[in-house]
Amino acid sequence: MQEAIDIMDFPDSTAGADAISGRVDLKSVSKAYGEEWERQEVITNLNLEITPGALTVVVGPSGCGKTTLVNLIAGFETPDSGEILLDGRAITGPSKDRMVVFQETALIPWQTAYENVVFGPKLRGELARDALRQKAEGLLAKVGLAEFMHKYPLQLSGGMQRRAELARALINQPQIMIMDEPFRGLDAMSRGLMQEFFLRLFEENQRTNLFVTSEIDEAIFLADRLVVLSNRPAKLRAIIDIHLPRPRRYQMLSSPEAFRYKRQALEILHQEAMRSFRGSQAVYSASGR
Amino acid sequence: MAGVAQVSRRMTVANPRRSFLRKTFGKSELWRGVIAIVVFLCFWEIGARSEKLFGYAFPYFGLLPPPTDVALAWSKVLVKWGYWESWYQSFQRVLLGFIAAQIVGIPFGLLLAVNRYFREIFFPPFEVLRPIPPLAWVPASLIFWPTNELSIAFVTFLGAFFTIVINVLGGARTIDVRFLRAAQSMGASQWDLFWRIVLPGTLPSIFTGAAVGMGITWEVVVAAEMISGGGTQGSGGLGFFIWNSYMGGSLPQIVVGMISIGIAGYLSSSAIRMIGNRAMPWRHLF
Ligand SMILES: Nc1ncnc2c1ncn2[C@@H]1O[C@H](COP(=O)(O)OP(=O)(O)OP(=O)(O)O)[C@@H](O)[C@H]1O
Ligand SMILES: [Mg+2]
């Protein structure tokens, strides 16, 4: 796998002027779900800036609204108030500027891996057929699926599906890649492999990235900036800049620096957990016990 | 080890005709099925001849014609043109009603699924009409339609139509929003979403609807043939074949008719399954 990554290089990886696009600004964004009488605030007044060309990792307690945040930036949902800007322009709906790799696989089951990858460019008619085929095959080889490109998603393993999905996102050359717990559900082994694989891809391109996870080790291993969210409703709790050198190596996770970052983040998450625990206790005692 | 691999490879690459035979006749489930049918036929034979064999007729079984008599009756009708014409007529009616129901039902179901206003207008009356059994439409359609043939076709159509629509609607409504969203962010228009996501995503339900609808169509055709064929116009078909045998008092021939319908239904549903597997290669990978 490693080898395949190094050989191929990206036609669009040349660090030009537009390599530094993909800046996302969230300005006092709020989002609630449910009908009026049972309204549930999921995100409250969130201000966040996603730095172009950096890997921003979002961590937060389960159910705090991370996926909701992703849906808002992707344009699948609209905020109740506030606005989200991509390179200064307001986001109005889904677009190829912002590709999402979902929490569960979203490969289209009735298309082979190859068909999934060429889906976007083919629809938009961007490339000539041969050029497109070459590019898609190159990308699939790059993610280690050269022999599997004519298989249907159901015939691929979990890790392969994730990689096919990465290839599908990359071919659209988004300004920002959004990953919502993409490696959740993989076993520890392939999760580690996928993380390194993803890092190599990122370090090669320095594309703007938003990566959501609930694994603190994964977060520190990948991140340039670590955004810690509070319990639901999600508020910004902290931004920790991770100054581990790149290219990252897995061994760096056991360095004292990494350890410090980890403790810092865990402390905040722990506070959040305690707070929600106390909150539920208060409800408990209020209910007459 | 290498030897094993080689042998097993040679088996799979064997000339396609051979491997087809092997695939069909080498399966143990096929032989289990054959044995089950043979045992059943033996029981039936003994039961039907119980009066002669044991001097006492088994309940129910004792009243049946034995399978040998049925086979004899069958061999007699097999050479008659009328029998095959019955097959042809029933098949024609089934196909006519079934295809018409598909042509109307699939777009109707898809429209119900994708357009809210359409659904709000047409779903309630559809739901009121749906519980009416197809056969309850027979008298009305005999009055409405100028010919017997048309009323049979209409009733057959109804039988399949409701099932098809409900299946298509249900299938299209349960397509995972993730696929729609993924396609949308890659620049799919509404039109693309429909053709590339909604339609293929509904195919499994379309074929389920077709399989169930095909069964209902056969039920309806046979019943309608019995009802209308007994009248003045002899309209033929396998239903009428049974009815005629009943009038003529030929018990073995009634059974011949029944089994013929069973075979016809089986052939129809096999055809649908086959087309389904062709149309949905991603579904039978295992
Ligand atoms: N479409 C929706 N309708 C109603 N409530 C929703 C909807 N989507 C999310 N929610 C609610 O919003 C809250 C946050 O959900 P979200 O999926 O964003 O959490 P998350 O941080 O991604 O959780 P996890 O880590 O488990 O993936 C949850 O309480 C959920 O019930
Ligand atoms: Mg989530």
Side-chain angles (χ1 to χ4, degrees):
Chain A
M1 211 157 72
Q2 204 96 325
E3 253 178 359
I5 303 162
D6 297 334
I7 306 165
M8 292 279 312
D9 82 326
F10 250 45
D12 55 313
S13 69
T14 43
D18 68 1
I20 324 185
S21 68
R23 175 200 170 96
V24 176
D25 282 298
L26 286 96
K27 296 199 167 147
S28 47
V29 169
S30 298
K31 177 75 184 172
Y33 283 115
E35 303 293 336
E36 231 167 288
W37 56 88
E38 44 165 16
R39 206 126 179 91
Q40 193 185 36
E41 289 270 334
V42 180
I43 292 177
T44 315
N45 201 14
L46 181 67
N47 286 293
L48 181 65
E49 174 202 315
I50 295 165
T51 325
L55 212 169
T56 304
V57 174
V58 174
V59 289
S62 175
C64 75
K66 302 185 294 292
T67 299
T68 308
L69 177 66
V70 166
N71 283 339
L72 288 172
I73 297 174
F76 300 143
E77 313 245 10
T78 45
D80 296 336
S81 65
E83 59 175 350
I84 306 177
L85 307 174
L86 172 66
D87 292 329
R89 278 168 287 116
I91 284 170
T92 52
S95 138
K96 75 174 194 82
D97 300 341
R98 290 158 273 125
M99 294 304 300
V100 184
V101 174
F102 293 84
Q103 199 165 323
E104 291 96 26
T105 177
L107 291 171
I108 296 164
W110 43 90
Q111 298 182 349
T112 61
Y114 176 82
E115 288 167 342
N116 263 288
V117 169
V118 297
F119 184 83
K122 212 163 149 188
L123 274 187
R124 301 191 297 269
E126 280 171 354
L127 285 166
R129 249 183 53 199
D130 287 343
L132 177 58
R133 204 187 61 221
Q134 218 170 1
K135 195 169 173 191
E137 285 177 354
L139 260 171
L140 279 160
K142 190 185 178 86
V143 299
L145 291 177
E147 289 165 45
F148 294 90
M149 58 179 136
H150 298 299
K151 300 265 185 223
Y152 290 99
L154 278 174
Q155 292 169 300
L156 303 177
S157 74
M160 288 173 173
Q161 288 179 3
R162 275 35 276 281
R163 281 181 272 146
E165 214 162 334
L166 263 176
R168 182 175 75 171
L170 286 172
I171 203 169
N172 292 290
Q173 302 188 11
Q175 274 155 54
I176 174 170
M177 280 275 283
I178 309 172
M179 323 269 292
D180 185 5
E181 303 198 42
F183 308 144
R184 178 144 112 176
L186 297 182
D187 59 288
M189 187 76 176
S190 33
R191 192 174 183 137
L193 283 174
M194 283 300 294
Q195 287 167 356
E196 297 202 23
F197 176 74
F198 173 71
L199 262 182
R200 297 294 93 80
L201 270 182
F202 170 76
E203 281 161 1
E204 216 172 89
N205 282 312
Q206 302 278 304
R207 190 190 295 276
T208 313
N209 248 289
L210 181 70
F211 193 107
V212 171
T213 182
S214 47
E215 275 266 303
I216 199 76
D217 282 329
E218 179 172 274
I220 291 167
F221 182 40
L222 301 176
D224 289 317
R225 291 168 80 230
L226 182 60
V227 174
V228 187
L229 295 181
S230 70
N231 265 316
R232 196 184 64 228
K235 289 183 288 289
L236 188 61
R237 276 295 270 116
I239 294 182
I240 306 172
D241 285 307
I242 308 278
H243 295 292
L244 295 175
R246 290 197 186 274
R248 296 270 165 90
R249 296 271 169 261
Y250 207 72
Q251 295 83 315
M252 290 175 191
L253 267 184
S254 43
S255 70
E257 262 172 301
F259 206 71
R260 238 189 359 261
Y261 291 131
K262 186 173 173 180
R263 218 174 54 197
Q264 207 178 340
L266 278 179
E267 203 139 297
I268 301 167
L269 287 172
H270 183 68
Q271 280 169 16
E272 283 304 313
M274 285 311 284
R275 205 160 52 189
S276 79
F277 182 66
R278 249 180 261 129
S280 60
Q281 265 199 332
V283 174
Y284 217 50
S285 51
S287 66
R289 293 199 52 183
Chain B
M1 206 54 205
V4 174
Q6 249 173 3
V7 169
S8 70
R9 164 163 303 164
R10 194 167 300 149
M11 262 167 74
T12 52
V13 204
N15 116 34
R17 198 138 164 214
R18 252 307 249 302
S19 78
F20 171 78
L21 284 181
R22 193 189 298 261
K23 255 201 289 197
T24 325
F25 295 103
K27 276 184 189 159
S28 54
E29 60 259 38
L30 178 88
W31 292 111
R32 273 200 285 277
V34 168
I35 289 168
I37 289 175
V38 169
V39 168
F40 172 76
L41 287 176
C42 288
F43 265 107
W44 177 7
E45 183 77 37
I46 293 168
R49 297 200 183 281
S50 53
E51 180 135 39
K52 271 191 204 142
L53 290 174
F54 313 115
Y56 138 82
F58 287 0
Y60 308 113
F61 265 102
L63 301 175
L64 286 174
T68 40
D69 284 6
V70 173
L72 199 69
W74 209 341
S75 68
K76 274 184 200 146
V77 293
L78 269 182
V79 294
K80 284 199 190 128
W81 178 237
Y83 172 70
W84 293 111
E85 197 167 9
S86 303
W87 269 79
Y88 172 72
Q89 281 169 328
S90 289
F91 250 110
Q92 201 184 23
R93 287 182 186 127
V94 164
L95 276 184
L96 188 72
F98 179 77
I99 289 173
Q102 295 284 353
I103 290 175
V104 183
I106 293 175
F108 185 73
L110 286 171
L111 262 174
L112 283 179
V114 297
N115 190 310
R116 213 182 100 209
Y117 300 109
F118 193 84
R119 185 163 62 249
E120 281 166 2
I121 293 168
F122 287 100
F123 194 59
F126 174 82
E127 277 299 273
V128 172
L129 292 179
R130 189 163 67 97
I132 303 173
L135 291 181
W137 289 86
V138 168
S141 65
L142 282 174
I143 295 169
F144 280 147
W145 297 94
T147 67
N148 248 359
E149 203 51 53
L150 274 176
S151 26
I152 293 181
F154 179 67
V155 174
T156 321
F157 164 83
L158 285 177
F161 175 75
F162 291 105
T163 312
I164 288 167
V165 172
I166 276 295
N167 270 287
V168 171
L169 175 60
R173 298 279 293 166
T174 49
I175 289 177
D176 202 311
V177 71
R178 281 176 296 151
F179 306 141
L180 296 167
R181 284 179 165 176
Q184 229 172 355
S185 45
M186 287 184 282
S189 61
Q190 293 293 314
W191 182 253
D192 297 324
L193 285 183
F194 178 79
W195 284 104
R196 288 163 188 274
I197 308 291
V198 175
L199 194 61
T202 312
L203 272 185
S205 314
I206 289 180
F207 279 98
T208 310
V212 180
M214 181 57 97
I216 298 177
T217 319
W218 270 105
E219 282 173 34
V220 173
V221 163
V222 169
E225 282 170 353
M226 286 184 167
I227 295 171
S228 62
T232 46
Q233 296 165 282
S235 48
L238 286 171
F240 182 68
F241 177 87
I242 294 178
W243 190 254
N244 217 17
S245 313
Y246 172 67
M247 295 309 240
S250 166
L251 209 48
Q253 208 169 306
I254 293 179
V255 178
V256 167
M258 289 168 68
I259 295 177
S260 304
I261 291 166
I263 293 172
Y266 176 75
L267 289 179
S268 315
S269 52
S270 300
I272 289 176
R273 257 197 304 277
M274 221 171 67
I275 297 171
N277 285 342
R278 276 282 161 77
M280 304 180 291
W282 71 92
R283 295 263 298 180
H284 59 113
L285 315 163
F286 309 102

